[in-house]
Amino acid sequence: MAGEPQTDCLFCRIVAGEIPATVVRESATTLAFRDINPQAPTHVLVIPKAHHPDAASLAAAEPEVAADVLREAGLVAADEEIAGTGYRIVLNTGAGAGQTVFHAHAHVLGGRGMQWPPG
Ligand code: 5GP
Ligand code: ZN
């Protein structure tokens, strides 16, 4: 059920402490940790603690938590000192767009120049 922990979900297991992660921020509703395969000098994932399959599903079910994720993404950028130079928040949605973990997450990427359009 949406919002409930999923035993087979990697990010639910990180929230539960069953899989280690380098946590950089935590709030009542969110967790932010470094991506295991960073694509930029700063690459942090911000996730809702509750399980939702993607960002749009999260926003539909718990809009206040979707707002928490975006606020925490901005706070990560400030903590990492990339807010001034600019950073990217990415919400891959669906396998065709590169989503591989089906627990909503925002990538916060910065510390290098970014290209447009994205690949
Ligand atoms: P997606 O491709 O779904 O948008 O993003 C999933 C991200 O999770 C990828 O950037 C991938 O490197 C990261 N990831 C996958 N497994 C782990 C893990 O066990 N720990 C951490 N910290 N990140 C992971
Ligand atoms: Zn999950």
Side-chain angles (χ1 to χ4, degrees):
M1 197 174 106
E4 297 300 316
Q6 306 288 304
T7 52
D8 59 348
C9 171
L10 176 65
F11 288 174
C12 284
R13 296 188 69 197
I14 287 177
V15 170
E18 295 169 7
I19 294 174
T22 304
V23 172
V24 297
R25 291 190 66 85
E26 183 169 11
S27 76
T29 56
T30 67
L31 194 67
F33 53 90
R34 296 198 189 282
D35 196 289
I36 204 167
N37 182 23
Q39 301 301 311
T42 290
H43 188 173
V44 171
L45 303 174
V46 184
I47 71 169
K49 288 181 175 174
H51 181 89
H52 297 278
D54 58 45
S57 304
L58 168 65
E62 297 197 85
E64 67 290 354
V65 179
D68 293 344
V69 168
L70 287 180
R71 185 179 59 252
E72 288 294 316
L75 293 171
V76 165
D79 290 350
E80 298 282 319
E81 300 183 337
I82 56 172
T85 48
Y87 60 95
R88 190 167 286 175
I89 298 173
V90 175
L91 303 167
N92 293 327
T93 303
Q99 187 177 4
T100 58
V101 178
F102 290 84
H103 178 131
H105 53 279
H107 298 255
V108 180
L109 295 150
R112 64 165 170 82
M114 295 285 162
Q115 306 300 312
W116 194 265

